[in-house]
Amino acid sequence: MTRPPGGQPPQGSFGAPYDPSTGSPVPAQPGYGYPAAPGPYGQQPGPYGQQPGPYAQQPGPYGQQPGPYAQQPAWQQPAGGPVGSGGGRSGRRTGFVVCVVLAVLLTGGGIWWATSGDGTGTGRPVTGTSGNPSGGGRGEGKTGGDDGDRDGAKKPGPTAAELNAGRKPGEAQVAWLRENGVDLPQYGEETYGPWFAGDIVAKGMYRKVSGYSVADGAERWSLRLPTDLCAAPSRPTADGRIVVAVEDNVSESEAECSVLQMIDLRTGKAGWKKTVDRSGMQDGLSHVAMSVNGDTVTFGRTSNSTAYRISDGKELFGRREGVCQPYAFTSGPRMLAAVSCQAEPVDPVRQQVQEVDPVSGAAKWTYALKPGWHVAHIYSTSPVVISLKQDDKWAIVILNENGTYRSQLAGDGENYAVRCTEDSVDAGGNLDDCAGAAADASRFYLSTRSEDDLKSSTNKVIAFDLATGKPVWKAPAPSGRTMWPLRMDGGRVLVHVEAGYRKGGAIAALDPSRGTLTTLLRHPDAAAGTEASLWSPRVAYVDGRSFVLPLRISEDDDADEMAATAVMVFTP
């Protein structure tokens, strides 16, 4: 398989700063389906501008969320590969944004970013393989496989025991690895997960969802799907259930992302299944975004959103009356929605952010954006931190808990970068699917673009005061490596330090008051080559273990693709 060609988000001139005075809060309406507001608000057939082209998790790992998940999402990245609009393989997200680089322009106290370069500072990941002929977990030995090879002999990769043989004092050990084991379609496939349910960690890819033992990587269950996975939330329910979306057939040109399948991640058993109702409306099922909030799963797309009860599949709410329609939601205890409004096709599109009741769909409060701006991602739900875009301009706005304007970040000459499944949710992926950003009650933490020299690359994390929007401190990453905030953990900023090709990665924590970096789990240098081969990795830190998955798998050679590492787990 070939790796998707690289790309980068669009660039353009800077404009006037985001003016919060015209983005004033709107009183919450009395229930789902409130009457149309006067003026140009309404739903356009597609609320988005031109799509730059794709990643998700996903799942990611992430708006700000408690628990093990990174803030995903969490990634804004340069586009790669062909881009479609949601129908069949040509419409599925086959390319991925690796890192959106935000070039800062200070204007009137605002922060403006234009995309440029790939922002990774490390170039394209090594296409080295980490696999074994059996397709199973690579622990102390090589175990039974997943799918068998199709084209050529698979190339064995190192086992955990082999990687641990070179482990130095103070380094973590590789607990286990799993290889891909599947010959994927052209341009490869996206990884969904990791999702945690008790002692199970699960992931999805292509036409299968698998559950593994957290402790040793043994496959506990494997659920075959009749068609391709095409969307999934970034997290499951508290009791370990998730609803994924799959295509309605296997056609290359006519398949649509329209079938929902509930899965119990504890057992691998499939639950209810249903096709999204599209009757009586134009519904192209493009740019699907999903979320989980308690017992509610949402299925958002450009022209409509539908919510279902996860326990039994009952529809909870759907298309609203009026001209404003939500098209994406955040996961977690607080449901925030990106809403698009357009009364007539000739009217300009206006967008809003709302807090929504996950059972009734009623808006609790509404914040109206300035005309011409749209919601790119939501980095945190409490406090509310929103990434906004207008053409090539960017702003990060902080809201109070009641949806009123609080502040806007002010740049200081740095180039900033986050890693999301897409450049913006209107191009696909989930609303909260970004890494490189985290927030607590008083500060927001954002990664910078890597700074390259002839030998290595590195970056910083910068803390901003939420009250003023101004920078407070800057923390450099370890020499020659980059680091990305994942989430808050016990009052500290949890970060992933990426592996270099000779230096292992790490999980570390930043002191929110000063930016002092403390390493929590240092991955072994002996495993650096394998770890660095995981492209734009999704990372979760749970109970002292780090789980690292590639955002997608795609190799030039089928044997390499099947042997590529799909999960890598480190433990003290």
Side-chain angles (χ1 to χ4, degrees):
M1 298 298 107
T2 57
R3 189 180 297 277
Q8 61 187 37
Q11 302 183 42
S13 61
F14 295 104
Y18 180 81
D19 182 0
S21 63
T22 57
S24 55
V26 177
Q29 303 294 328
Y32 200 82
Y34 53 84
Y41 288 78
Q43 172 63 29
Q44 69 170 6
Y48 317 113
Q50 300 205 352
Q51 66 179 37
Y55 183 96
Q57 265 243 252
Q58 127 194 79
Y62 317 8
Q64 181 65 22
Q65 50 183 313
Y69 301 97
Q71 194 152 309
Q72 12 189 17
W75 303 324
Q76 292 182 353
Q77 314 153 345
V83 178
S85 59
R89 284 200 179 87
S90 62
R92 289 188 298 118
R93 290 169 282 151
T94 54
F96 289 82
V97 182
V98 177
C99 198
V100 163
V101 175
L102 308 174
V104 177
L105 175 68
L106 255 172
T107 312
I111 186 167
W112 298 115
W113 298 322
T115 59
S116 63
D118 72 357
T120 62
T122 58
R124 180 168 292 171
V126 172
T127 58
T129 59
S130 301
N132 71 63
S134 66
R138 297 199 302 276
E140 295 307 306
K142 299 179 180 179
T143 60
D146 289 339
D147 272 282
D149 65 78
R150 301 176 186 176
D151 298 309
K154 290 191 282 184
K155 303 177 180 180
T159 66
E162 290 167 344
L163 292 174
N164 288 330
R167 190 162 59 106
K168 303 170 188 174
E171 291 183 335
Q173 62 179 327
V174 179
W176 52 272
L177 306 91
R178 298 288 303 194
E179 70 173 18
N180 170 40
V182 182
D183 181 22
L184 301 171
Q186 190 176 21
Y187 301 117
E189 286 289 331
E190 174 182 353
T191 299
Y192 296 91
W195 304 307
F196 295 90
D199 62 349
I200 297 291
V201 57
K203 72 174 185 68
M205 173 175 276
Y206 192 33
R207 297 179 182 175
K208 185 169 69 171
V209 178
S210 301
Y212 307 101
S213 165
V214 166
D216 60 13
E219 185 176 273
R220 294 284 190 84
W221 54 262
S222 181
L223 179 65
R224 301 282 179 171
L225 301 171
T227 55
D228 296 8
L229 274 166
C230 53
S234 58
R235 59 164 64 190
T237 62
D239 60 358
R241 289 172 296 173
I242 199 164
V243 178
V244 301
V246 298
E247 294 181 344
D248 59 359
N249 63 70
V250 296
S251 168
E252 290 283 343
S253 60
E254 299 179 359
E256 293 181 322
C257 188
S258 62
V259 179
L260 300 180
Q261 175 66 67
M262 193 272 275
I263 303 170
D264 187 332
L265 298 177
R266 298 163 298 185
T267 64
K269 301 296 184 183
W272 57 264
K273 179 179 181 180
K274 64 172 52 185
T275 301
V276 176
D277 183 10
R278 302 167 58 203
S279 60
M281 68 184 75
Q282 179 181 354
D283 192 340
L285 294 172
S286 59
H287 308 316
V288 171
M290 298 185 70
S291 70
V292 166
N293 308 84
D295 196 27
T296 298
V297 61
T298 61
F299 183 82
R301 58 267 195 211
T302 54
S303 58
N304 191 18
S305 288
T306 314
Y308 302 89
R309 195 159 57 200
I310 297 174
S311 54
D312 58 10
K314 177 184 177 181
E315 183 173 325
L316 297 174
F317 54 88
R319 185 176 178 85
R320 290 180 173 179
E321 298 176 6
V323 298
C324 295
Q325 300 296 328
Y327 60 91
F329 301 85
T330 59
S331 289
R334 192 175 194 187
M335 177 185 272
L336 300 184
V339 181
S340 188
C341 307
Q342 187 184 37
E344 300 292 341
V346 296
D347 291 333
V349 176
R350 299 286 297 272
Q351 291 211 346
Q352 306 170 343
V353 174
Q354 294 181 342
E355 182 174 5
V356 176
D357 183 283
V359 176
S360 68
K364 298 180 179 180
W365 52 255
T366 299
Y367 178 80
L369 273 59
K370 179 182 176 180
W373 288 83
H374 70 271
V375 180
H377 289 99
I378 294 180
Y379 295 143
S380 171
T381 60
S382 184
V384 180
V385 182
I386 309 166
S387 171
L388 306 179
K389 287 190 67 177
Q390 182 190 60
D391 299 323
D392 60 336
K393 297 185 290 292
W394 291 72
I396 292 182
V397 170
I398 294 90
L399 304 183
N400 292 308
E401 292 299 291
N402 63 357
T404 57
Y405 175 86
R406 181 178 181 184
S407 65
Q408 178 182 347
L409 295 197
D412 60 349
E414 294 283 356
N415 291 331
Y416 296 92
V418 289
R419 298 194 310 187
C420 306
T421 56
E422 287 288 354
D423 178 55
S424 177
V425 69
D426 57 23
N430 291 336
L431 184 60
D432 57 357
D433 208 12
C434 293
D440 58 25
S442 60
R443 291 180 179 174
F444 177 67
Y445 310 92
L446 187 65
S447 55
T448 69
R449 179 187 180 182
S450 59
E451 302 165 355
D452 299 336
D453 58 30
L454 293 177
K455 295 183 178 179
S456 63
S457 64
T458 190
N459 74 336
K460 296 185 286 287
V461 170
I462 298 181
F464 294 84
D465 186 286
L466 292 182
T468 65
K470 296 181 179 180
V472 178
W473 51 253
K474 301 180 181 182
S479 177
R481 288 179 291 170
T482 56
M483 66 181 178
W484 304 87
L486 300 176
R487 58 180 173 86
M488 301 304 297
D489 181 70
R492 301 176 299 180
V493 188
L494 196 69
V495 300
H496 173 228
V497 179
E498 289 195 325
Y501 297 126
R502 292 186 176 86
K503 190 72 174 176
I507 300 297
L510 289 166
D511 179 352
S513 61
R514 302 181 186 85
T516 305
L517 185 69
T518 302
T519 299
L520 305 179
L521 192 68
R522 190 165 80 239
H523 300 170
D525 292 345
T530 301
E531 185 181 358
S533 73
L534 306 184
W535 188 64
S536 193
R538 298 181 181 275
V539 180
Y541 183 62
V542 184
D543 296 332
R545 293 183 176 92
S546 60
F547 298 78
V548 187
L549 289 74
L551 185 136
R552 70 182 290 111
I553 292 178
S554 178
E555 300 288 352
D556 295 324
D557 179 79
D558 286 351
D560 286 345
E561 185 174 75
M562 297 176 72
T565 300
V567 186
M568 194 171 191
V569 181
F570 301 90
T571 190

